[in-house]
Amino acid sequence: MRGVLAALVVLALAAGFGRAAAQETVSPVPSPIVTLDQERLFSESLWGKRAAERIEARSTELALENRQIEGELTVEERALTDRRATMTPEAFRAAADAFDAKVTEIRQTQDAKLRAIGRLQETERQRFLAAAFPVIGDVVRSRGAVAVLDSRAIFLAAEAIDITDILIERIDTELGAGDDVAAPDALQSDPGSTNGD
């Protein structure tokens, strides 16, 4: 019975919040706390979409490169196997060791490229948040709020205090896709930094 009552209270609160949000689409609720979905703020912004396209393009390019390398190494390995009958055991062992060393070096190089792509996502997020921080602060102040909570960590909240959509619109207008925004000082020397291209 207690569980049913709790469920009814939650449903009633949700319905009330839904009505409040619908009534206050024009006039947001004055609140000392606002909520923000950080993931959606980044992924749905022009900056986040540009970053996602760039990362996808690099991932596709690396996958094609890996397939080409794999094909070339397969041909080279087959050629070495075919020559084995005409080689002394020592000569074959030396050639095989050299081939293994080459494969290891290539694997390390390609793994480093993959890690760099992985760092690119985090670097873009850091640049985005650093550039967007003044905009976020301005919106928070204009709402008279003193705190911002991540909406994904909140069980229930009125939609009227969520500022994600407002921020996406403001950030898109003021920062665009972020191509011309300089990286913060801490990221200037990061090998995953996305300045340029």
Side-chain angles (χ1 to χ4, degrees), residues 47-101:
W47 190 317
K49 290 174 182 175
R50 189 262 308 155
E53 289 175 2
R54 185 175 187 185
I55 290 165
E56 178 64 26
R58 290 194 176 184
S59 298
T60 300
E61 180 182 342
L62 182 60
L64 290 172
E65 187 177 291
N66 285 340
R67 282 199 290 272
Q68 179 180 347
I69 291 171
E70 182 181 1
E72 292 171 354
L73 290 175
T74 299
V75 170
E76 188 173 341
E77 182 181 29
R78 188 177 299 120
L80 179 59
T81 301
D82 290 343
R83 291 189 351 251
R84 181 173 190 172
T86 65
M87 303 171 71
T88 66
E90 294 77 13
F92 177 77
R93 174 47 51 200
D97 288 346
F99 177 76
D100 288 344

Side-chain angles (χ1 to χ4, degrees), residues 112-133:
K113 290 179 182 179
L114 182 61
R115 289 193 299 273
I117 292 172
R119 287 195 305 272
L120 181 58
Q121 175 78 3
E122 183 56 31
T123 301
E124 285 284 6
R125 283 178 181 276
Q126 291 175 13
R127 289 183 61 229
F128 172 78
L129 288 175
F133 192 77

Side-chain angles (χ1 to χ4, degrees), residues 25-190:
T25 50
V26 176
S27 174
V29 173
S31 171
I33 296 172
V34 291
T35 61
L36 167 64
D37 185 334
Q38 291 186 60
E39 179 63 32
R40 195 162 68 80
L41 179 66
F42 180 68
S43 65
E44 294 185 13
S45 68
L46 291 175
W47 190 317
K49 290 174 182 175
R50 189 262 308 155
E53 289 175 2
R54 185 175 187 185
I55 290 165
E56 178 64 26
R58 290 194 176 184
S59 298
T60 300
E61 180 182 342
L62 182 60
L64 290 172
E65 187 177 291
N66 285 340
R67 282 199 290 272
Q68 179 180 347
I69 291 171
E70 182 181 1
E72 292 171 354
L73 290 175
T74 299
V75 170
E76 188 173 341
E77 182 181 29
R78 188 177 299 120
L80 179 59
T81 301
D82 290 343
R83 291 189 351 251
R84 181 173 190 172
T86 65
M87 303 171 71
T88 66
E90 294 77 13
F92 177 77
R93 174 47 51 200
D97 288 346
F99 177 76
D100 288 344
K102 178 179 179 179
V103 170
T104 298
E105 182 179 355
I106 289 172
R107 183 181 298 117
Q108 291 172 346
T109 298
Q110 298 307 103
D111 285 348
K113 290 179 182 179
L114 182 61
R115 289 193 299 273
I117 292 172
R119 287 195 305 272
L120 181 58
Q121 175 78 3
E122 183 56 31
T123 301
E124 285 284 6
R125 283 178 181 276
Q126 291 175 13
R127 289 183 61 229
F128 172 78
L129 288 175
F133 192 77
V135 181
I136 296 171
D138 186 49
V139 170
V140 170
R141 283 190 298 275
S142 72
R143 289 293 193 97
V146 294
V148 182
L149 300 180
D150 189 334
S151 61
R152 296 170 300 168
I154 299 173
F155 178 67
L156 187 65
E159 290 182 15
I161 67 169
D162 188 279
I163 60 173
T164 307
D165 290 331
I166 294 168
L167 283 174
I168 290 172
E169 184 177 344
R170 282 278 305 273
I171 290 168
D172 283 353
T173 299
E174 297 185 28
L175 302 178
D179 288 314
D180 300 326
V181 179
D185 292 340
L187 298 177
Q188 292 289 354
S189 60
D190 189 328

